[in-house]
Amino acid sequence: MKKTSAESTPSPSMTPEHKQDLKHEQGGKEQFPISETRFWIQRLSKTGVRALHILGIAGSAGGILYGVERGLWLNWWILAMTTGVIMMSLEISRSKLWVIQLKGVLTFVKLGLLASFFILPQHKPVLFITVLLMSVFVAHGPAGLRHYSIWHRRRIDEKQGKKKRMNG
């Protein structure tokens, strides 16, 4: 089905940030843009999953940090882990580069630290705080940090279109 020009171009009412997000949600592809409605659905869905993830983290934090009975916070933990896997899957499906960029690599490091709860249960609070701090730095750090490839030892990004480009 062919899109009309109104569906394939950003609306004038969109902020520059939303226009950039629209391009990002499309994987940087200008050839096959998505409609503004689809953009908003995708954007709000991703934001909703992220909000549930943060809610799960917040709900489980007290139990982990203060040694509260596991049954009181386990459902929050399950919510955090489930939404985390969903977000990770979405990132990998959008770009395979994610697994070698610092944002992906540090996600795997965070999972390793969380898994070490079983090996070092006495250090859960410190491990949890470390994971939280890593999350903030990766999520809010500059793109040069998030997109840094440990494999290439430089920032790499998706090319605008089908082929991949590596910026040096």
Side-chain angles (χ1 to χ4, degrees):
M1 181 159 73
K2 189 173 181 177
K3 297 184 186 302
T4 65
S5 63
E7 289 180 315
S8 63
T9 58
S11 159
S13 65
M14 293 176 74
T15 67
E17 292 81 15
H18 286 135
K19 288 179 186 177
Q20 183 63 30
D21 288 343
L22 175 61
K23 188 174 176 183
H24 177 75
E25 293 289 330
Q26 297 171 27
K29 296 176 185 166
E30 297 285 347
Q31 305 165 309
F32 306 106
I34 61 174
S35 70
E36 186 174 353
T37 302
R38 185 167 175 196
F39 162 75
W40 282 106
I41 290 169
Q42 287 179 353
R43 180 68 181 209
L44 292 174
S45 297
K46 191 174 176 181
T47 302
V49 171
R50 185 175 291 120
L52 289 173
H53 184 67
I54 292 169
L55 182 63
I57 292 167
S60 60
I64 294 167
L65 294 174
Y66 298 110
V68 175
E69 181 185 328
R70 189 174 124 182
L72 296 173
W73 55 270
L74 185 60
N75 288 335
W76 294 111
W77 180 256
I78 292 169
L79 176 64
M81 294 300 106
T82 303
T83 53
V85 168
I86 290 169
M87 290 190 307
M88 197 168 88
S89 300
L90 289 171
E91 289 295 332
I92 293 170
S93 70
R94 191 180 70 74
S95 172
K96 304 298 184 259
L97 291 176
W98 185 86
V99 298
I100 61 170
Q101 291 173 322
L102 210 49
K103 58 188 174 178
V105 171
L106 290 179
T107 298
F108 291 117
V109 169
K110 291 187 303 184
L111 287 172
L113 290 172
L114 293 173
S116 69
F117 279 17
F118 297 107
I119 300 166
L120 305 164
Q122 69 277 21
H123 296 293
K124 276 184 190 177
V126 172
L127 293 167
F128 188 76
I129 290 168
T130 302
V131 169
L132 285 176
L133 291 174
M134 287 174 64
S135 298
V136 171
F137 280 101
V138 172
H140 299 285
L145 173 73
R146 292 189 320 272
H147 297 179
Y148 180 82
S149 166
I150 62 161
W151 183 264
H152 299 91
R153 296 181 185 235
R154 59 189 158 100
R155 177 182 172 159
I156 59 171
D157 293 299
E158 293 285 341
K159 183 177 179 182
Q160 309 300 320
K162 293 182 181 179
K163 294 183 183 176
K164 297 184 184 354
R165 173 183 60 193
M166 293 178 212
N167 295 332

